[in-house]
Amino acid sequence: MIRRAVVPALLAAVALTSAAGCAGGGAAAKPGEPIPVDDRRSPSEVGGETVDGGRIDLASYEGKVVVVNFWASWCGPCRAEAPALEATYKENKDADVEFLGVDVQDTRDGAKAFMRKYGSTYPSLFDPKGEITHAFSSVNPSALPTTLILDREGRVAVQFPGSVSKSRLDPALAKIVAER
């Protein structure tokens, strides 16, 4: 008898969770697929101190395609995807494509060690309190890792929740770079 009551409750919970996941961002696309242009949203102002103590503002990348990766040194999937992100960065850095990491809920020493170990050469904002994540609330990149591709107008064009492979990132990036 209890099993009969549990199954409908579970199905209702799954339906509500699915609906909630689709709400709020206008991101009417599957993960890794381009979001329709009319549904793309720009984050609010993004900028701050980098892991190495410099300063960066997303606005400085105006007119370029930008890959934004949310990561942390303690995140296993972040470690797994780091080589693919660095390889894609190196292949595209001369083609009006920029990469920006956002190190979330981490220590500066942990972040620096991660970047050294995995050879990450693109800049990363240091976001120990997760405040920069809120600027991207229209797509909710709260799970680590999350990778976003922003179009030349600074709007979120593609979202990869979870670890991303080079074989998934490269074609999605090529589609957004090809947009004019």
Side-chain angles (χ1 to χ4, degrees), residues 74-116:
W74 46 263
C75 166
C78 299
R79 292 189 293 268
E81 74 176 3
L85 290 165
E86 182 64 21
T88 302
Y89 166 66
K90 286 180 177 175
E91 290 170 6
N92 290 280
K93 66 181 181 179
D94 295 328
D96 280 339
V97 175
E98 297 288 344
F99 275 58
L100 179 63
V102 181
D103 176 43
V104 181
Q105 298 176 352
D106 209 346
T107 65
R108 193 176 301 274
D109 288 342
K112 286 179 179 181
F114 176 98
M115 293 177 75
R116 272 191 312 274

Side-chain angles (χ1 to χ4, degrees), residues 2-164:
I2 293 175
R3 286 180 80 154
R4 286 186 183 165
V6 170
V7 171
L10 285 173
L11 290 174
V14 168
L16 285 172
T17 303
S18 297
C22 294
K30 294 179 182 178
E33 293 295 322
I35 296 168
V37 174
D38 291 342
D39 292 339
R40 294 179 186 176
R41 303 288 176 256
S42 297
S44 56
E45 274 190 42
V46 174
E49 189 175 343
T50 62
V51 168
D52 64 6
R55 180 142 188 93
I56 266 192
D57 291 305
L58 189 57
S60 68
Y61 296 141
E62 185 177 343
K64 296 184 178 189
V65 173
V66 182
V67 176
V68 181
N69 176 254
F70 295 84
W71 63 276
S73 65
W74 46 263
C75 166
C78 299
R79 292 189 293 268
E81 74 176 3
L85 290 165
E86 182 64 21
T88 302
Y89 166 66
K90 286 180 177 175
E91 290 170 6
N92 290 280
K93 66 181 181 179
D94 295 328
D96 280 339
V97 175
E98 297 288 344
F99 275 58
L100 179 63
V102 181
D103 176 43
V104 181
Q105 298 176 352
D106 209 346
T107 65
R108 193 176 301 274
D109 288 342
K112 286 179 179 181
F114 176 98
M115 293 177 75
R116 272 191 312 274
K117 181 174 183 174
Y118 295 101
S120 299
T121 59
Y122 54 88
S124 282
L125 290 167
F126 183 60
D127 188 25
K129 295 180 182 176
E131 295 168 346
I132 294 171
T133 303
H134 296 297
F136 291 89
S137 63
S138 68
V139 291
N140 190 25
S142 58
L144 291 181
T146 292
T147 302
L148 308 174
I149 301 174
L150 308 183
D151 64 18
R152 285 183 173 80
E153 294 182 32
R155 302 170 301 186
V156 177
V158 179
Q159 180 177 13
F160 292 96
S163 187
V164 65

